[in-house]
Amino acid sequence: MGSLCARAALRGSLCGAGAPGPCLLPRHSSGGPSQTQERTLVAVKPDGVQRRLVGDVIRRFERRGFKLVGMKMLQAPESVLAQHYQDLRREPFYPGLVSYMSSGPVVAMVWQGHNVVRTSRAMIGDTDSAAAAPGTIRGDFSIHISRSGNVIHASDSVEGAQREIRLWFQSGELVDWTDGDHHASIPPA
Ligand code: UDP
Ligand code: MG
C-alpha cells in the first residue's frame, strides 16, 4: 500500500499529506482523472428553477452519494450558451433553445463521484419527456422536450463534462473537500 500510495502521490492523486485514509484511488493510464474523482456539470434550467425544483435535484444527487464541489445561480450569458450548445447550432430548435435557456436564471453545479457522468444521465432521464422513465428527474417533472422545458442538463461524456465545467466555472469556484466524521450521517436512500 505504501509504495502504491507513493506512486500515486507522484502522479498527483489525493494520496498527499492531507489525505484522510488509505490510498485507494485508481488512476487511468492516460493520466486523466480517476473514476472516483470523475466530475460532471449539472444545471437546473430556467423552468426547473421557476418550478422550485432545485432542492429536489440536489437531494437526489446527495442521496445517490455524489459530492457537490461547485454551485452557482446565474443568468447564463449568450456567449456561454453558444459554446455550451455549439454542436446543436444548426438544429432547427437551436434559437428556441437559447431563448429558453436565457428566460431566467439557471443553477449550475459540479458533482463528483464514481461514474457520475453515466449515472447522472440515467438519473435525469431521456431528453424527450415522453420517453423519460418515471422516477427520473425528467420523467417526474418534464412536460415537453422544448415548449415548457425539460428541467435539467447533465453532461453526456467525461470529455464533454470537462469542457462544460471549464466553460461554466473558474477553477477557483470549485472546492476540493474531503469527507470527515460526518459522512456517516448521510440518510439512507
Ligand atoms: N432540445 C429541443 N428539441 C429537440 C432536442 C433538444 O428543444 O428536439 C433541447 C432540450 O432542451 C435538450 C437540449 O436541447 O435538453 C440539448 O439537446 P441534447 O440532444 O444535448 O439533449 P440532452 O443532452 O439535454 O438530453
Ligand atoms: Mg446534451
Side-chain angles (χ1 to χ4, degrees):
M1 179 62 73
S3 67
L4 233 186
C5 245
R7 277 205 307 277
L10 279 174
R11 292 195 300 262
S13 81
L14 289 183
C15 295
C23 166
L24 294 172
L25 299 177
R27 282 232 154 204
H28 294 312
S29 52
S30 64
S34 74
Q35 285 184 317
T36 309
Q37 291 173 290
E38 186 173 294
R39 289 176 171 180
T40 197
L41 181 88
V42 171
V44 183
K45 295 179 174 184
D47 56 318
V49 173
Q50 287 163 33
R51 293 173 62 195
R52 316 303 198 253
L53 296 175
V54 175
D56 190 279
V57 168
I58 292 173
R59 189 180 62 95
R60 288 174 186 236
F61 278 83
E62 284 192 331
R63 295 191 111 176
R64 198 69 196 247
F66 292 124
K67 182 191 276 191
L68 183 61
V69 296
M71 179 164 75
K72 61 183 172 187
M73 175 181 255
L74 73 162
Q75 180 71 45
E78 237 177 85
S79 59
V80 169
L81 293 175
Q83 289 179 71
H84 181 80
Y85 286 125
Q86 61 186 17
D87 294 345
L88 301 176
R89 65 189 180 281
R90 288 185 219 293
E91 298 293 339
F93 58 82
Y94 178 80
L97 172 60
V98 171
S99 106
Y100 153 52
M101 289 295 290
S102 308
S103 65
V106 302
V107 174
M109 295 174 263
V110 178
W111 288 91
Q112 178 176 305
H114 182 65
N115 279 336
V116 68
V117 171
R118 193 151 57 96
T119 308
S120 59
R121 288 298 297 190
M123 289 168 66
I124 72 170
D126 198 280
T127 310
D128 182 353
S129 49
T136 64
I137 295 169
R138 287 167 170 167
D140 288 350
F141 300 117
S142 171
I143 296 151
H144 188 275
I145 187 171
S146 52
R147 207 170 38 241
S148 46
N150 61 356
V151 179
I152 189 160
H153 166 83
S155 312
D156 65 3
S157 68
V158 172
E159 297 70 32
Q162 289 165 354
R163 183 180 71 81
E164 291 175 3
I165 290 168
R166 278 197 303 273
L167 177 63
W168 287 82
F169 285 86
Q170 311 276 334
S171 58
E173 292 175 318
L174 301 177
V175 183
D176 233 336
W177 56 280
T178 340
D179 285 311
D181 294 342
H182 307 295
H183 188 57
S185 65
I186 290 176

